[in-house]
Amino acid sequence: MAIATENSTILALRQSLCSEATPLSVRFRALFSLKHLARQSATPEESLAAINAIAAAFSSPSALLKHELAYCLGQTGNNAAIPHLTAVLEDLQEDPMCRHEAAEALGALGAADSLDILKRFRDRVGEEVVVTETCEIAIDRIEWENSEQRKRERLRQSDFASVDPAPPMPQESESTVEELEKALLDTSLPLFRRYRAMFGLRNLASPPDLPTAVPAVHALAKGFADSSALFRHEIAFVFGQLSHPASIPALTAALSDLEEASMVRHEAAEALGSLGDEEGVEETLKRFLDDKEAVVRESVVVALDMAEYERSNEAEYALIPQVTA
């Protein structure tokens, strides 16, 4: 069993991440650096130290930061993150956005041992809808990951390094934009199946010069009309991955809708941050620096930092110069 070993870089990143005095944009860069170290460290001990450093920041009052911590732990591919994520999901006093992200992260890690807790909160009476829906998708993902069906499916190599809540449709049943849009918008289908259509459309929109790219973006944008805030937030997340200019009108509309769920608006803000070098995007984001929702205000701060990065010559958003120097 690995024992956590903190080197000076992990310790410095942990201090930046956990300090409430540190600007949020710097804390996010520290977090993404720790996620990288958790995945790429030379030893299991250093990977565990990076995971523990990320989890230490769950004491923060920022729901935005904590939700991002959970996401990053799910992306590490390391089951040492499971106890931390389980604790967040079980904490009924925690923000539902954070609990949802913890459930999604457990799905991303794909351990069959997580099925019991996910089923418990999927079926819990009075549970937040966003948590119920996320647990449903995470269960389906884990069952798919460990199924004979998974072994038979051939998936197209994605342009994106993320572990997604659902895989795209398999190559043997690849569909057109129109067919995937139909599945995406079909509310009679399980969410997991609709998510597979969503990530299939994402793949048809990358690289951005594909002839299917703009039609796929427009198809995805129709998902913003769905009744599920979870579903709408995932559309915004996909747009952040794609960074396609054709998504700007839909993202701007989502951020500008003050009646929209904050988890959707915050994701739209961060997606716009990935398009920060496009005309008018920075001005749009600045309009929401004083938004009534803290998670939106904080997302705009992070998005503007991302936009600054997009205009710079920095090689990697995640790295903090004063730590890596």
Side-chain angles (χ1 to χ4, degrees), residues 14 26-27 50-51 54 64 84 89 95-97 121-122 126 143 156 166 178 184 212 216 218 251 274 298:
R14 177 173 178 152
V26 176
R27 296 174 79 182
I51 286 170
I54 292 171
L64 177 69
H84 301 299
L89 178 57
D95 189 288
M97 189 173 78
F121 285 99
R122 177 197 62 187
E143 290 179 343
R156 189 181 81 125
E178 292 75 16
L184 178 81
T212 53
H218 290 162
L251 289 168
S274 72
E298 292 179 348

Side-chain angles (χ1 to χ4, degrees), residues 29 38 92 94 160 227 233 236 268 274:
R29 291 188 180 220
L92 302 183
E94 184 55 271
F160 305 93
S227 62
H233 121 287
S274 72

Side-chain angles (χ1 to χ4, degrees), residues 23 72 113 129 132 151 192-193 209 218 229 254 272 283 285 293:
C72 287
D113 290 348
V129 173
T132 301
K151 295 174 185 175
F192 184 73
R193 174 66 179 78
D209 56 354
H218 290 162
L272 285 169
E283 290 72 17
L285 287 168
E293 297 283 354

Side-chain angles (χ1 to χ4, degrees), residues 77-221:
N78 192 322
N79 285 354
I82 290 176
H84 301 299
L85 294 167
T86 299
V88 174
L89 178 57
E90 289 182 320
D91 183 358
L92 302 183
Q93 302 307 308
E94 184 55 271
D95 189 288
M97 189 173 78
C98 303
R99 294 180 61 228
H100 124 75
E101 203 66 55
E104 184 176 293
L106 288 170
L109 291 171
D113 290 348
S114 297
L115 285 171
D116 285 347
I117 186 172
L118 289 166
K119 289 177 180 178
R120 172 153 58 96
F121 285 99
R122 177 197 62 187
D123 300 335
R124 178 176 170 269
V125 176
E127 185 55 86
E128 298 282 347
V129 173
V130 66
V131 176
T132 301
E133 291 180 340
T134 305
C135 288
E136 174 192 329
I137 296 168
I139 290 163
D140 285 348
R141 190 193 186 285
I142 292 173
E143 290 179 343
W144 168 84
E145 184 70 46
N146 294 280
S147 68
E148 290 300 316
Q149 174 190 350
R150 169 69 184 96
K151 295 174 185 175
R152 293 192 301 268
E153 287 186 355
R154 290 183 302 111
L155 301 179
R156 189 181 81 125
Q157 182 66 38
S158 173
D159 293 339
F160 305 93
S162 57
V163 181
D164 301 314
M169 297 304 295
Q171 285 185 323
E172 51 267 32
S173 62
E174 277 194 343
S175 306
T176 64
V177 169
E178 292 75 16
E179 290 167 335
L180 289 171
E181 178 185 323
K182 183 178 179 182
L184 178 81
L185 303 178
D186 185 351
T187 55
S188 70
L189 294 175
L191 276 170
F192 184 73
R193 174 66 179 78
R194 297 176 67 200
Y195 268 46
R196 295 199 73 171
M198 186 188 303
F199 288 102
L201 285 165
R202 178 196 66 181
N203 289 349
L204 291 180
S206 178
D209 56 354
L210 277 181
T212 53
V214 171
V217 168
H218 290 162
L220 285 164

Side-chain angles (χ1 to χ4, degrees), residues 7 10 32-48 50-51 75-78 161 319:
N7 61 30
I10 292 174
F32 297 144
S33 300
L34 284 166
K35 178 183 74 170
H36 173 80
L37 291 171
R39 290 178 62 93
Q40 307 293 338
S41 285
T43 68
E45 291 77 16
E46 287 188 354
S47 293
L48 183 58
I51 286 170
Q75 297 296 302
T76 62
N78 192 322
L319 300 181

